[in-house]
């Protein structure tokens, strides 16, 4: 099953010409999961992958740059006559927040479920779970999220199964489902169980042990990196992270790949990536609309796929990354 993470908005509290406000779109098979929904998210989606019928939304915390695009998106879904139900999950206080902005999106033609999660609470979906991870930020409760796929059966040794008297075809499928066929038990012909993929997303946070533990051996850790190393004091004051601190978490957690996001407008991104790579080599700093493909581990490592804008596709020179004065400290 294909899986990719699209970086819809990679900026911090202030958008720039090249970085929108925080939002990530996870595509898993035919499902679409949205993590955070900053102002302008639906427009960012339209510009990149289109506005899909999101299946579920997870909000990390209630600073405006992480949720303010949500009411407009809900209304757009209504105007498109969406019928499929939608679930939104987030920290305690989510129901009050959504109640306060109800006047914006009004009555909806589809079912809307709003669920508040406790720390380390898991949402079970078909083939995987998404768990909340309490992080350290300047709000009462802020979460990261970890998606963990179910384990998969090992490979079937078809030649061995046939030699033991199992007829190729449907009986092979029964073995893979754990059934004994013609006296042959699955463990006789199946390889070791294979772990599913794992993605950890921090939201806004200072470096914390909870993220390190939850992200252990993840295929991908998406960690905020609001500041460069020379702004360590500012990061500590605002309970954000530097790129180097994100890399130290990735190294300790033994993840396969680190992606930096929530980048302040004062940085282009490349300098943060290089600071992080001094600690953790497998680091990227995606721009908006870049995506990371996540194959099953036995099929290769996660890899960054850069988005090509219309101008780039016509071989026009790309714009320079704007640099502003925003501190990105929300």
């Amino acid at each position: 099953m294909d899986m990719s993470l699209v970086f819809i908005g990679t900026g911090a509290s202030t958008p720039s010409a090249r970085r929108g406000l925080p939002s990530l779109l996870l595509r898993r098979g035919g499902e679409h999961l949205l993590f955070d929904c900053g102002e302008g998210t639906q427009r960012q989606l339209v510009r990149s992958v289109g506005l899909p019928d999101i299946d579920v939304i997870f909000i990390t915390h209630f600073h405006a740059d992480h949720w303010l695009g949500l009411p407009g998106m809900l209304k757009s879904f209504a105007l498109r006559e969406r019928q499929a139900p939608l679930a939104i999950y987030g920290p305690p206080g989510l129901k009050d927040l959504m109640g306060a902005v109800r006047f914006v999106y009004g009555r909806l033609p589809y079912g809307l479920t709003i669920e508040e999660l406790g720390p380390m609470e898991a949402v079970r979906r078909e083939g995987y779970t998404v768990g909340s991870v309490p992080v350290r930020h300047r709000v009462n409760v802020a979460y990261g999220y970890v998606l963990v796929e179910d384990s998969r059966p090992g490979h079937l040794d078809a030649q061995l199964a046939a030699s033991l008297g199992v007829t190729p075809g449907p009986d092979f499928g029964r073995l893979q489902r754990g059934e004994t066929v013609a006296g042959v038990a699955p463990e006789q012909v199946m390889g070791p169980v294979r772990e599913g993929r794992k993605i950890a997303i921090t939201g806004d946070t200072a470096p914390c042990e909870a993220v390190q533990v939850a992200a252990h051996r993840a295929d991908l850790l998406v960690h905020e990196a609001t500041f460069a190393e020379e702004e360590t004091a500012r990061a500590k004051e605002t309970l954000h992270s530097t790129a180097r601190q994100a890399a130290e978490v990735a190294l300790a957690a033994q993840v396969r790949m680190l992606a930096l996001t929530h980048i302040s407008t004062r940085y282009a991104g490349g300098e943060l990536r290089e600071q992080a790579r001094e600690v953790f080599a497998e680091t990227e700093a995606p721009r908006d609309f870049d995506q990371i493909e996540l194959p099953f581990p036995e099929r290769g490592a996660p890899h960054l796929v850069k988005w090509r804008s219309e101008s780039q596709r016509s071989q026009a020179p790309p714009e320079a990354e704007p640099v502003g004065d925003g501190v990105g400290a929300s």
Side-chain angles (χ1 to χ4, degrees):
M1 179 180 293
D2 291 341
M3 180 186 284
S4 62
L5 187 69
V6 186
F7 291 78
I8 302 302
T10 59
S13 59
T14 305
S16 71
R18 295 293 292 273
R19 293 189 187 274
L21 294 179
S23 187
L24 298 165
L25 177 69
L26 180 68
R27 299 187 291 192
R28 180 182 182 272
E31 281 191 282
H32 297 86
L33 290 73
L34 193 69
F35 293 85
D36 282 335
C37 189
E39 181 183 357
T41 291
Q42 63 174 320
R43 180 60 180 160
Q44 292 279 89
L45 286 165
V46 169
R47 287 185 60 199
S48 55
V49 298
L51 181 58
D53 280 338
I54 305 295
D55 295 285
V56 60
I57 299 172
F58 293 90
I59 301 298
T60 61
H61 66 290
F62 303 137
H63 280 156
D65 57 321
H66 289 259
W67 68 268
L68 202 54
L70 191 52
M73 180 178 288
L74 298 181
K75 185 63 176 179
S76 292
F77 287 156
L79 293 172
R80 291 184 359 175
E81 300 183 346
R82 174 188 174 122
Q83 297 297 316
L86 174 65
I88 305 175
Y89 296 92
L94 179 64
K95 291 181 179 179
D96 287 344
L97 175 68
M98 297 305 297
V101 298
R102 175 70 183 272
F103 73 96
V104 177
Y105 59 86
R107 296 182 62 182
L108 301 174
Y110 54 90
L112 179 65
T113 301
I114 300 169
E115 295 288 345
E116 297 179 351
L117 300 175
M120 307 304 293
E121 185 173 352
V123 176
R124 179 66 190 169
R125 294 182 63 82
E126 186 174 353
Y128 64 94
T129 59
V130 179
S132 61
V133 181
V135 298
R136 295 179 59 225
H137 193 44
R138 298 179 304 139
V139 290
N140 289 335
V141 183
Y143 289 155
Y145 293 99
V146 176
L147 182 147
V148 182
E149 288 186 317
D150 296 348
S151 297
R152 296 168 294 136
H155 287 292
L156 171 69
D157 187 331
Q159 185 175 359
L160 176 59
S163 71
L164 294 174
V166 180
T167 303
D171 284 348
F172 279 8
R174 293 173 58 197
L175 282 169
Q176 291 174 315
R177 292 192 296 271
E179 300 178 33
T180 296
V181 178
V184 178
E187 56 267 24
Q188 293 177 255
V189 294
M190 299 288 295
V193 171
R194 296 169 292 168
E195 293 184 357
R197 291 161 290 192
K198 181 176 180 179
I199 301 174
I201 297 168
T202 67
D204 289 5
T205 185
C208 64
E209 186 178 2
V211 169
Q212 179 181 320
V213 172
H216 181 60
R217 297 185 64 186
D219 294 278
L220 174 65
L221 169 62
V222 181
H223 200 296
E224 73 119 288
T226 309
F227 294 107
E229 188 62 19
E230 56 268 25
E231 295 286 346
T232 299
R234 179 67 171 149
K236 182 177 181 180
E237 176 187 351
T238 58
L239 291 182
H240 279 288
S241 297
T242 67
R244 184 180 183 89
Q245 288 171 335
E248 289 168 348
V249 173
L251 182 65
Q254 303 175 34
V255 304
R256 301 182 74 194
M257 185 178 191
L258 168 66
L260 305 178
T261 190
H262 203 267
I263 293 172
S264 167
T265 55
R266 65 179 67 187
Y267 307 114
E271 66 272 53
L272 299 183
R273 180 189 62 229
E274 295 311 308
Q275 287 187 3
R277 283 182 175 177
E278 293 176 2
V279 176
F280 188 79
E282 299 301 321
T283 299
E284 299 289 352
R287 293 178 181 266
D288 286 8
F289 313 149
D290 287 351
Q291 61 182 302
I292 292 178
E293 300 284 349
L294 293 134
F296 287 116
E298 66 271 16
R299 296 180 181 174
H303 57 276
L304 178 70
V305 179
K306 291 186 174 294
W307 184 75
R308 298 177 65 226
S309 67
E310 186 175 335
S311 62
Q312 289 170 324
R313 286 193 291 270
S314 62
Q315 298 185 342
E319 296 181 44
E321 174 70 28
V323 178
D325 295 325
V327 299
S330 67

